[in-house]
Every structure is written in C-alpha cells, then in structure tokens.
Amino acid sequence: MRSQETRRPYLLAGVFLALAALACNAPGAATPATVPPAPTEPPVAEASPTPSPPPAATTAATTAATTTPAPDVSGPGGCTLNATYVADVTVPDNTKYTPGETFTKVWRLRNSGTCTWEAGSQLAFVSGEPLGGPAAVDVSPVTPGSNTDVSVDLVAPDTPGTYRSTWQLQGPDGVRFGSQIYVQIVVPAPATATPTPTEEAEPPDLVITELKIDTDDPRQGIPLQIIATLHNQGDSTAENVHWAWRVCVHDGCEYTKAPGAFTLEPDEKVTAQMEYLFEGWATYTTEAWVDSSEEIEESDEDNNTRELEIAVQPGLPDLIVKAIKFDPDPPTQGEDTTIEVKIRNRGSQPTGAFVAEWWASVNAPAPACEWTLSGGVAEESSVTLDCTYAYPSWYSKITTRAIADVNDEVDEVDETNNSLELDTQVRQP
C-alpha cells in the first residue's frame, strides 16, 4: 500500500505538467517574446513659427482702430449697456484741414451690450479739443448687436497743430458707457514759399563813351567846353559819380575835377561838360576819367578813362560890338545926341588897325560916325568910341547899327560877330 501511496504524488505531478502545456498552446493565448530595443535617432530641433501681422479690420469706409473693450454698465431691468467702436466712416486719423475749415466726423459703433440704447442716448464730448463741436449729439435707439453711424459737425482750429477730440456714449440719465472714441486732425503750418534764388546783380561799370569839344577850331586863349558822355554799363546803380579831365597824359600832369556829381542807373548815360582855356597852342593828347574819386566798386576798374587829341591853333583876335548907348536916351529930333559904341577884343591876340562905324539907321546911305583905330585893341581888352549926332526927324522906332573891322582887315577867330543892332525911339521936340 505503501508503494501505491508512494507512486500517487508522482502521478499527480505529471498530470499538472500536461495541463500546463495544453494551456500554453491554446488558441488566443499570448506568446511572450523578447522585443529588441528601437534604434536611437538624433533629436530634431522644433522650428518656432514666425508670427504674421494680424490682418487689418476694414470697412467700406476706412480702417478700424484696435480698441480695448469697455466694461459693461448695468442698465434698466438687469441688462447691460456697452458700445464698441467699429470704424471711422469719415476723417481718418491725422486728416489735414486748413484753419477754420468745417468737417463732419462719422463713427460706426456697435451695441455690444444687452440693453437697447433708448431714445435720449447721446454721444458726449469727454476730453481733448472740442473742435468747435457741441457738448453732445443725439443717438438713435439701437438694439443689441446692431451698428449705427454717429456724426458730429466740427471746425478745425485757427492755430497749426495736431488736435484730438475724445467722445463717449451716455444714456438718458447721463451715465456713460462703452468705448471712448476720438477724432484726430492736423492743421498744417502755412507753407513757406521757398524764395527763388536770384542772381546777385553785377556792380556798376562806368565808362566814357564819348569825349569831344564844342568847337571845330580850338584856339589858344579862347575858352571851350570839354564834353564827356558818362555811361553806366553795369547792372547796379552808381551813386556820387565824379569825373575829371587833364590836358596831357604824361606823369605829373594833374587832373582837373569837373563840377557836380551824378547818379547813374544801369545802362543810363549822362552828358557832362567843363570849361577850359588853352594858354598855348599845340596838339594836345587829353584824357578824361570817370569815377575820378575812386569811390565806386565796379565790375571793371580798368576802363574808366578815355583820351582825346585836340589840335589847338595859335590865338587870334575876335572883335565884337558889346554895346550902343545914347545920351540923352532916347534922342530928340534936331538935338545933339552923344553916341557911344563899346568894342571888345575877346581873342587871345591883339587886333592891329581897323575901322569901326555907327549907322543912325540900317537903311541910311552912309554911316553917321566912323573911327579908325590905328593901334587896334589888345587881347581881352575893350575900347569905347563916341560921336555926336542930331536926328533930323522923329521916329517911333528906328534901328541903328555899329560895326567893328568894317573892311575885314583883322584876321579873327569869328568873322561873323562884328556888328550889333539896337532899336531906339527919336522923340519930337
């Protein structure tokens, strides 16, 4: 028994091993396996996305500004009052207006609360520059979630600058709610015209365009006029212009300053003159000088002189009758009258002998008085001749005449100035 009992444990152990093997091979049972480790890959750096600018919100009128939502305000019956800015319908920020120009600002707003905006609601000025607008404007009733346009008439200030005017909705009871909105404009400073650069005018430029004398027969001892044409050919006015002249051009020959001073506008000419008497006779190279005082700054300082050659002839006498006088004056018919005739030699040489006459009438057949001046008349000297005569008739007017160098014996500077006529009355006794 004892052996049977010894074999029973071995038999039970075999049964259990057989059951275990069947269980492991049953369908659906997981078969344990060793999983090889996954291959190790290098880490890949994750790229940070580049943020894109948010698209600008637009309306049909203009770009809307980003605003921070305003907190709700309790309304009647437990609803809430609020307003959100939607867009600038007119007048974008920094629109430019001229001083005093009127304009209308229009905002688009949304009722973002749960209360309807009641009649009596307004858009009121809050701060900044009122821009000539009202304290508040009425807003029509708006249901929640709806938009409305609100406009205000404004005026640009007179002073240049940038101006902002801030506004906010308020209920009929004056309680303000919703986002504050604003309009911002610019009044530009008046444009300053840029001056067109102008070329600076050139200084004066003085020249003598003509230099001459007033006679074709310059004579020793006979005064003549030196005539100069002064011309300002520069682009600026020349003031206090003086000129001078000299009888020769060699060193040491001094200038004689002409009288007067002139003001010459651009391209203006003036004729000036001075008197001179040649004491000798020769051919002289003379010279005139404009701006002789050297006071004027010119564009060309080397063109102020001009030369003139003058051929002065030897001096000659020049007889003229200076005067005819009666004593008594007027004469009386049949009474003796003393006749005085004054003759002058204004030449630069003595005359030599000559004959002078006085005619009681230019229509008389012969002279009434005659004188022979055998010694002549010295240069720049005078002689007075006299005689007695009685008019045989009376005359309301009669023309008398005196003549020097009747026979043309004297070679003179001027042969045409030897006579003088005088009208007189001859009274009745």
Side-chain angles (χ1 to χ4, degrees):
M1 294 288 295
R2 184 177 179 183
S3 61
Q4 290 178 347
E5 292 176 358
T6 303
R7 289 195 296 269
R8 186 175 295 170
Y10 289 103
L11 179 61
L12 290 174
V15 172
F16 282 125
L17 288 173
L19 291 174
L22 291 172
C24 291
N25 291 318
T31 304
T34 302
V35 180
T40 303
E41 297 181 359
V44 178
E46 183 178 356
S48 299
T50 302
S52 300
T58 59
T59 68
T62 185
T63 302
T66 301
T67 58
T68 301
D72 292 333
V73 175
S74 297
C79 62
T80 58
L81 288 168
N82 210 334
T84 302
Y85 165 86
V86 176
D88 288 321
V89 179
T90 64
V91 191
D93 285 354
N94 299 317
T95 299
K96 295 179 181 179
Y97 289 102
T98 58
E101 184 176 357
T102 60
F103 62 97
T104 300
K105 172 64 182 182
V106 180
W107 293 274
R108 183 160 295 158
L109 304 177
R110 177 179 294 115
N111 183 345
S112 56
T114 60
C115 297
T116 296
W117 299 347
E118 299 178 6
S121 297
Q122 292 183 313
L123 181 66
F125 171 73
V126 174
S127 63
E129 172 60 46
L131 299 177
V137 294
D138 292 333
V139 178
S140 301
V142 181
T143 58
S146 298
N147 293 346
T148 188
D149 291 347
V150 184
S151 62
V152 182
D153 293 330
L154 302 170
V155 181
D158 293 331
T159 305
T162 299
Y163 297 92
R164 175 178 288 198
S165 181
T166 303
W167 300 69
Q168 189 177 21
L169 286 170
Q170 65 182 22
D173 55 0
V175 175
R176 291 180 181 170
F177 63 90
S179 301
Q180 289 189 350
I181 56 176
Y182 66 87
V183 57
Q184 181 167 300
I185 67 167
V186 175
V187 179
T192 302
T194 302
T196 302
T198 56
E199 294 184 3
E200 185 175 350
E202 289 291 325
D205 185 19
L206 298 170
V207 296
I208 299 174
T209 56
E210 186 178 21
L211 184 62
K212 62 182 181 179
I213 56 177
D214 67 342
T215 177
D216 294 332
D217 185 23
R219 289 282 175 172
Q220 172 192 8
I222 305 296
L224 52 74
Q225 295 291 324
I226 309 296
I227 303 172
T229 300
L230 315 180
H231 180 205
N232 176 11
Q233 62 185 15
D235 294 334
S236 299
T237 301
E239 298 180 348
N240 201 32
V241 177
H242 294 272
W243 74 287
W245 176 85
R246 60 180 179 173
V247 71
C248 48
V249 295
H250 58 72
D251 292 342
C253 190
E254 298 293 331
Y255 283 94
T256 299
K257 183 178 179 180
F262 304 93
T263 296
L264 294 178
E265 300 295 333
D267 201 34
E268 183 179 2
K269 295 180 181 180
V270 64
T271 300
Q273 62 186 41
M274 63 183 296
E275 185 176 87
Y276 189 74
L277 183 147
F278 286 92
E279 296 180 353
W281 61 273
T283 297
Y284 297 87
T285 300
T286 69
E287 185 178 55
W289 177 20
V290 65
D291 190 25
S292 55
S293 58
E294 296 187 294
E295 297 178 0
I296 300 168
E297 181 180 350
E298 301 180 62
S299 59
D300 186 349
E301 298 286 358
D302 298 325
N303 59 352
N304 294 147
T305 61
R306 189 179 186 92
E307 294 183 356
L308 174 66
E309 190 174 273
I310 303 175
V312 180
Q313 302 300 314
L316 291 174
D318 186 21
L319 291 170
I320 62 171
V321 179
K322 290 283 292 183
I324 302 173
K325 293 183 179 180
F326 300 96
D327 184 19
D329 187 12
T332 301
Q333 174 188 357
E335 297 181 3
D336 286 345
T337 300
T338 299
I339 314 299
E340 288 188 357
V341 176
K342 185 175 182 178
I343 296 175
R344 179 170 179 79
N345 175 12
R346 63 180 186 182
S348 59
Q349 298 294 325
T351 64
F354 67 91
V355 175
E357 297 174 343
W358 175 77
W359 296 63
S361 167
V362 294
N363 297 317
C369 301
E370 183 177 273
W371 302 273
T372 299
L373 288 85
S374 56
V377 179
E379 65 273 17
E380 294 294 336
S381 299
S382 300
V383 62
T384 300
L385 310 174
D386 62 75
C387 66
T388 301
Y389 180 75
Y391 276 97
S393 302
W394 64 270
Y395 302 93
S396 59
K397 185 178 78 170
I398 191 170
T399 301
T400 70
R401 175 186 292 159
I403 304 173
D405 191 23
V406 174
N407 301 317
D408 291 330
E409 300 170 274
V410 180
D411 186 12
E412 300 179 65
V413 173
D414 186 351
E415 299 286 359
T416 64
N417 60 351
N418 294 145
S419 65
L420 177 68
E421 294 182 355
L422 177 67
D423 292 338
T424 186
Q425 173 192 9
V426 178
R427 294 182 300 185
Q428 297 182 19

